[in-house]
Amino acid sequence: MASGLFALLDDIATVMDDVAAMTKIAAKKTSGILGDDLAVNAEKASGFVPDRELPVLWAISKGSFVNKLIILPVAFLLSAFAPVAVTVIL
């Protein structure tokens, strides 16, 4: 009975290891898409009077959302139907 429990724990550890490896790869591949806004926000939002800061941040956020709305579906479709193209692009 103890060997069955250890086999189950080993299987769970193997699955968790696989999940961790896949998460690391996915984070590495999407960091360029998701991290592009940080530099833009810091650059565009400095030097404004407080009354103008929120509208500028709102405009940047809207533009970022539209970009994500276009880029992410294209990236998902490429990875599903042409994974070699993703490697070439990156």
Side-chain angles (χ1 to χ4, degrees), residues 6-28:
F6 289 130
L8 178 65
L9 290 176
D10 184 51
D11 289 344
I12 292 171
T14 303
V15 169
M16 294 303 290
D17 187 44
D18 291 344
V19 169
M22 286 186 265
T23 303
K24 180 180 175 185
I25 292 169
K28 180 180 171 186

Side-chain angles (χ1 to χ4, degrees), residues 29 72-87:
K29 290 187 177 192
L72 289 177
V74 170
F76 291 144
L77 288 172
L78 272 177
S79 69
F81 296 111
V84 175
V86 174
T87 306

Side-chain angles (χ1 to χ4, degrees), residues 6-81:
F6 289 130
L8 178 65
L9 290 176
D10 184 51
D11 289 344
I12 292 171
T14 303
V15 169
M16 294 303 290
D17 187 44
D18 291 344
V19 169
M22 286 186 265
T23 303
K24 180 180 175 185
I25 292 169
K28 180 180 171 186
K29 290 187 177 192
T30 59
S31 64
I33 293 173
L34 300 177
D36 66 338
D37 301 326
L38 298 175
V40 172
N41 287 342
E43 178 184 330
K44 298 290 183 187
S46 62
F48 287 99
V49 293
D51 295 341
R52 284 284 302 143
E53 190 171 335
L54 288 177
V56 169
L57 288 175
W58 175 244
I60 292 171
S61 299
K62 284 192 310 188
S64 171
F65 179 73
V66 170
N67 286 340
K68 300 286 185 287
L69 203 61
I70 295 168
I71 292 172
L72 289 177
V74 170
F76 291 144
L77 288 172
L78 272 177
S79 69
F81 296 111

